[in-house]
Amino acid sequence: IWCPPGSYLRGHVSRANTVILTEGFYLGKYEVTKEQYRSVMGVKLSSFLSFFKGAKLPVEQVSWEDAMAFCKKLNEKEKNRIPEGWAFTLPTESQWEYACRAGTRTAYSWGNEIDSSRANYNWENRQDSTQSCDVGQYAANPWGFYDMHGNVSEWCSDWNSEEYFTGPVTNPAGPSSGTQKIIRGASAYFQDLKASGRWYENTSDNHDSHGLRVALKLENPKIPKYEPDVF
């Protein structure tokens, strides 16, 4: 789905935390599924390791390194279809939150309250029965994205920074180095699924709550822009 340039109030929705994004980008309508991951990575069903089974389930037990390897492989497979300067990769956490909020200023994209009809999450401390579900089972947010809250948490490209909430910024991409990468969206195991929620893990961590959603972005600002219907 095309996300046009724009701005939003990040984190706790303070005007002091205005984020401006001057470049539009595409973001996956759904979380990457197990069948998509297998198709791109060439992993056979019998040898594919994951905690839950089901082709339409979001892929999980994926580390940040695995997620980037998936994007690299996808770029190789689609190199003859992607316009020059564009590439599949992970979204920045600001791009992720921009798409998650979809023009809203509430705790969730649908409002400030949450219940089990809104998202797949641990709503009754049901830890023993909690698991991911097929993508797209809950209503989409105002921009058409599914499962931005819950199901599996999603890796972002940024290194973790404690300065995330300090002042207005334009096109933030996190620090140039670090030890842990940002994860957004929470998962079926969590109760706190707010759009402002953020976590971080080591790049090699691959828990059964970790998945991904792919972005398609213009990586070279000198390349001419394309209209969103070009693909």
Side-chain angles (χ1 to χ4, degrees):
I1 296 175
W2 175 248
C3 297
S7 64
Y8 71 99
L9 302 180
R10 73 178 158 188
H12 303 297
V13 194
S14 163
R15 290 196 177 277
N17 290 327
T18 300
V19 177
I20 299 171
L21 300 177
T22 62
E23 296 287 342
F25 61 96
Y26 290 88
L27 189 66
K29 184 176 182 178
Y30 305 104
E31 296 158 326
V32 173
T33 65
K34 294 182 186 295
E35 65 179 356
Q36 290 171 334
Y37 191 86
R38 289 194 297 266
S39 175
V40 170
M41 300 301 288
V43 181
K44 295 181 180 178
L45 179 62
S46 60
S47 63
F48 182 66
L49 300 177
S50 61
F51 197 75
F52 304 115
K53 306 299 180 184
K56 300 296 184 182
L57 292 175
V59 66
E60 23 79 7
Q61 293 200 94
V62 174
S63 68
W64 182 88
E65 294 165 355
D66 293 332
M68 291 303 294
F70 175 87
C71 293
K72 180 179 179 180
K73 194 77 170 181
L74 185 58
N75 282 317
E76 293 171 356
K77 285 179 172 289
E78 299 294 322
K79 63 183 179 181
N80 293 326
R81 299 180 60 222
I82 305 173
E84 182 184 3
W86 291 75
F88 289 107
T89 187
L90 296 176
T92 65
E93 68 168 318
S94 290
Q95 289 172 333
W96 189 96
E97 187 172 333
Y98 179 56
C100 176
R101 290 188 178 280
T104 67
R105 296 186 180 182
T106 48
Y108 312 96
S109 61
W110 56 77
N112 288 314
E113 303 298 329
I114 186 172
D115 59 56
S116 60
S117 70
R118 298 288 194 176
N120 182 23
Y121 73 108
N122 188 15
W123 54 278
E124 276 187 346
N125 293 317
R126 54 193 180 96
Q127 194 68 31
D128 292 340
S129 60
T130 299
Q131 73 164 76
S132 59
C133 65
D134 287 359
V135 299
Q137 296 301 296
Y138 295 85
N141 76 6
W143 286 0
F145 293 104
Y146 289 85
D147 301 309
M148 297 294 284
H149 301 277
N151 214 17
V152 293
S153 52
E154 301 171 16
W155 288 106
C156 295
S157 61
D158 310 54
W159 292 107
N160 180 41
S161 171
E162 297 306 320
E163 298 180 354
Y164 176 72
F165 296 109
T166 58
V169 290
T170 299
N171 299 328
S176 59
S177 62
T179 59
Q180 295 176 310
K181 290 288 187 176
I182 294 296
I183 297 177
R184 289 301 208 113
S187 73
Y189 291 95
F190 285 79
Q191 289 185 305
D192 185 5
L193 274 63
K194 296 182 179 66
S196 61
R198 61 194 301 268
W199 295 264
Y200 44 87
E201 297 277 4
N202 296 326
T203 59
S204 59
D205 288 345
N206 58 346
H207 301 304
D208 52 11
S209 61
H210 293 174
L212 74 151
R213 187 183 304 259
V214 173
L216 179 64
K217 300 191 287 187
L218 180 65
E219 293 199 324
N220 186 348
K222 295 181 181 180
I223 299 296
K225 292 180 174 62
Y226 288 82
E227 294 299 323
D229 61 355
V230 72
F231 302 113

